[in-house]
Amino acid sequence: EHGRIYRITYEGRPLAEPPAIDGQPIPALLELLKRGENHIRNLAKIELGKHDSSQVIAALQAWTARLDPQDPDYPHYLTEALWTHQWHNVVDVDLLQRVLRSPEPGARAAATRVLSYWRDRVPGAISLLQQLAADDNARVRLHAVRAASFFPVAEATGVSLTAAKRPVDYYLDYTLGETLRQLRPLWSK
């Protein structure tokens, strides 16, 4: 009746063994990006950050090329590769566009967020956001509208207006309002 639960285990199933991360070579760390536990993937990216970025990116491109497109987790693995590029501040426009075209809406939303950070280094970023603002998924549209708020050009307002043509939920409505408020000096003229 009193006390705290500090560990929940499945009877008869062994506890998960934590993988070795510290000091591991790049290929081993890249394989950890396939793990189901977000914490393990983040620790692997932190450890990859200790390695030379040019070596990590070269190994990452080889790792990505070996991925099986038929694997159900393929979109997630590509997203992890994109996040690793972002972690090392190395823009890969081709990978970004692959993930933006993913059949998985979560991957497209994540790539849209990455696009917002790489906006000044991706050619045609505002037109990409315009397309993403018309996406079937509300989360993708939300990230496109949020990203538009960082563009100091009047065309960014069009991203918000495109997203407003589709069904809007509470979160997207709030983001639309904040983005239009941010862009007001550009569209009010």
Side-chain angles (χ1 to χ4, degrees):
E1 286 187 29
H2 302 287
R4 298 176 191 203
I5 298 173
Y6 61 94
R7 183 189 308 178
I8 298 175
T9 61
Y10 188 93
E11 288 293 324
R13 183 180 290 173
L15 297 175
E17 290 293 323
I21 296 175
D22 187 40
Q24 292 299 303
I26 294 171
L29 294 169
L30 293 175
E31 283 303 310
L32 291 177
L33 297 178
K34 292 182 176 180
R35 291 288 296 258
E37 305 92 347
N38 190 43
H39 182 67
I40 298 297
R41 294 191 312 268
N42 284 337
L43 289 175
K45 283 188 277 243
I46 290 169
E47 188 67 22
L48 283 167
K50 296 177 183 178
H51 293 272
D52 180 67
S53 289
S54 62
Q55 293 176 351
V56 172
I57 296 304
L60 183 61
Q61 289 172 343
W63 180 79
T64 304
R66 287 190 308 270
L67 293 174
D68 178 12
Q70 303 306 316
D71 187 326
D73 291 324
Y74 181 71
H76 179 73
Y77 299 156
L78 285 182
T79 305
E80 287 292 337
L82 183 65
W83 285 332
T84 305
H85 272 84
Q86 182 185 9
W87 191 281
H88 286 269
N89 199 23
V90 176
V91 175
D92 185 337
V93 175
D94 292 334
L95 179 61
L96 174 66
Q97 290 183 345
R98 283 174 61 191
V99 181
L100 286 172
R101 292 188 305 266
S102 173
E104 282 297 315
R108 291 193 312 272
T112 304
R113 191 171 181 100
V114 171
L115 175 61
S116 74
Y117 298 122
W118 289 353
R119 65 190 172 275
D120 57 338
R121 296 181 285 168
V122 174
I126 198 76
S127 61
L128 283 171
L129 288 178
Q130 190 73 36
Q131 295 168 16
L132 293 162
D135 195 276
D136 291 335
N137 186 273
R139 186 170 167 208
V140 175
R141 294 193 308 270
L142 181 139
H143 283 289
V145 170
R146 179 192 159 276
S149 72
F150 295 107
F151 286 82
V153 294
E155 293 84 9
T157 305
V159 174
S160 297
L161 298 177
T162 298
K165 294 177 184 175
R166 305 291 308 253
V168 175
D169 62 12
Y170 169 80
Y171 303 103
L172 184 52
D173 182 53
Y174 176 80
T175 306
L176 280 165
E178 290 301 306
T179 297
L180 289 172
R181 185 175 63 78
Q182 177 69 26
L183 298 174
R184 183 183 198 106
L186 300 170
W187 59 260
S188 64
K189 294 177 185 176

